[in-house]
Amino acid sequence: MKLRRTKQQEEPSREETQRKLEEKRKADEERKRQISEAVKRLEGHLKAGKVDLASLELEEVRKLDRRNPYIGAFEERIEQIRLEQKKKSLEEEKESIPKPASMPETRKHTPSSTAKPPQPVRSAQPKILVIEDDPGTLLAIGHILTKHGYDVTSLETSDEALVLLTRWTPDLIISDINLSTSSIGGFTLYEEVRRLEHLDDVPFVVLTSHADEKLQRIGKEMGIDEYLSKPVHQENLVAAVRGKLKRFGARKR
């Protein structure tokens, strides 16, 4: 009699265990189905270039399965697409800017010491010299400044700039730090400019694509106190130019 009660007690226990196992199996299958559908939607968003929707879908996948081995790969793809879209947008913005008729033609070769750089046009407007080896950036900066009423002379090398500056005084100089087509970079150009007596007090603005505090600290120790990060935003560029010209004008008076 005692043995019979034990068997009766065991039977419900087996049934309960099987029921729980079946429920777990169904739950696992449902979770796998949800993960599979979320991944499919994620792939679709990536193919369509919809990175924001892809990011939201990836969060859903992470909630369903934090150990999914593809999460890291999806994160890299999203970031890569985001960077490509940003680069394309910048390129399209550069291409959409019309070339101002008043801008002198730029040259990519490094001139000899006797070469004659473009002659700046005489004008009552503030005269700005821009040195930048990237044609697209040079064109964009020239267009922005010309639109705001400045007389812009654009050059692609510091070598051309030095030849011109020995006999011409602009109201402001804007130069990139890394000039790959030149024999000297932006910091050295700044030092050479300061050696010329007639340019000693001309404001000097530096362009850089490097968020490097050490680089900026070196420049500030040399006397450079104005940096503009590339790509240059119109508002920041115009504000920096106006501020520098205002300070320079006050010093001359």
Side-chain angles (χ1 to χ4, degrees):
M1 188 71 177
K2 185 177 180 179
L3 180 61
R4 185 177 302 164
R5 283 199 303 271
T6 303
K7 288 182 179 181
Q8 288 175 350
Q9 291 172 354
E10 288 177 355
E11 287 299 330
S13 178
R14 290 196 190 101
E15 290 177 358
E16 181 67 17
T17 300
Q18 290 177 354
R19 185 180 64 80
K20 288 182 178 180
L21 289 173
E22 182 64 18
E23 288 177 353
K24 185 177 182 304
R25 183 186 65 79
K26 290 181 178 181
D28 289 342
E29 289 181 354
E30 177 60 19
R31 188 167 64 90
K32 289 179 181 179
R33 184 188 65 80
Q34 292 177 355
I35 293 172
S36 177
E37 291 182 354
V39 169
K40 287 179 181 179
R41 291 194 297 269
L42 174 56
E43 287 281 3
H45 293 323
L46 289 174
K47 289 180 180 178
K50 300 177 180 178
V51 290
D52 291 334
L53 291 177
S55 296
L56 292 175
E57 207 63 63
L58 183 59
E59 285 302 314
E60 186 65 24
V61 173
R62 187 181 281 108
K63 290 177 183 177
L64 293 169
D65 184 9
R66 292 186 176 277
R67 297 182 180 179
N68 191 303
Y70 299 107
I71 288 178
F74 279 128
E75 288 176 338
E76 291 179 3
R77 286 180 62 186
I78 289 172
E79 184 62 23
Q80 182 181 5
I81 293 174
R82 200 185 298 276
L83 291 174
E84 289 175 352
Q85 289 178 343
K86 183 176 181 180
K87 181 178 179 181
K88 183 179 179 181
S89 177
L90 290 173
E91 290 175 351
E92 290 176 350
E93 184 178 349
K94 288 180 182 179
E95 292 175 359
S96 66
I97 299 175
K99 185 175 181 179
S102 61
M103 284 186 65
E105 182 181 356
T106 56
R107 294 173 289 175
K108 294 186 177 180
H109 68 280
T110 301
S112 64
S113 59
T114 59
K116 294 183 178 180
Q119 296 296 316
V121 179
R122 294 184 178 275
S123 172
Q125 300 170 320
K127 301 179 293 295
I128 299 178
L129 174 62
V130 182
I131 307 103
E132 165 62 57
D133 59 5
D134 178 66
T137 302
L138 185 66
L139 180 63
I141 292 174
H143 174 70
I144 292 171
L145 294 178
T146 300
K147 183 176 67 173
H148 282 80
Y150 298 107
D151 179 12
V152 182
T153 298
S154 301
L155 299 175
E156 290 189 7
T157 71
S158 58
D159 304 274
E160 289 176 301
L162 277 176
V163 173
L164 176 62
L165 289 169
T166 57
R167 49 190 170 78
W168 179 60
T169 306
D171 294 299
L172 184 141
I173 300 171
I174 300 175
S175 176
D176 186 22
I177 283 293
N178 295 308
L179 296 165
S180 59
T181 59
S182 306
S183 61
I184 61 173
F187 281 158
T188 304
L189 174 63
Y190 174 80
E191 292 180 326
E192 293 296 327
V193 165
R194 290 294 175 249
R195 290 192 181 100
L196 297 173
E197 186 176 351
H198 65 289
L199 301 176
D200 182 58
D201 206 24
V202 173
F204 198 103
V205 177
V206 167
L207 298 173
T208 176
S209 57
H210 300 282
D212 190 334
E213 293 182 0
K214 182 178 180 181
L215 186 68
Q216 293 191 15
R217 186 165 60 251
I218 292 172
K220 287 178 180 179
E221 289 177 356
M222 295 171 60
I224 301 172
D225 61 356
E226 189 70 53
Y227 284 83
L228 287 175
S229 299
K230 296 191 292 183
V232 179
H233 295 287
Q234 176 172 302
E235 294 80 6
N236 294 339
L237 174 63
V238 175
V241 168
R242 286 176 178 169
K244 283 293 185 181
L245 290 176
K246 185 176 181 180
R247 288 173 58 189
F248 179 50
R251 287 177 184 174
K252 288 198 295 184
R253 288 194 296 273

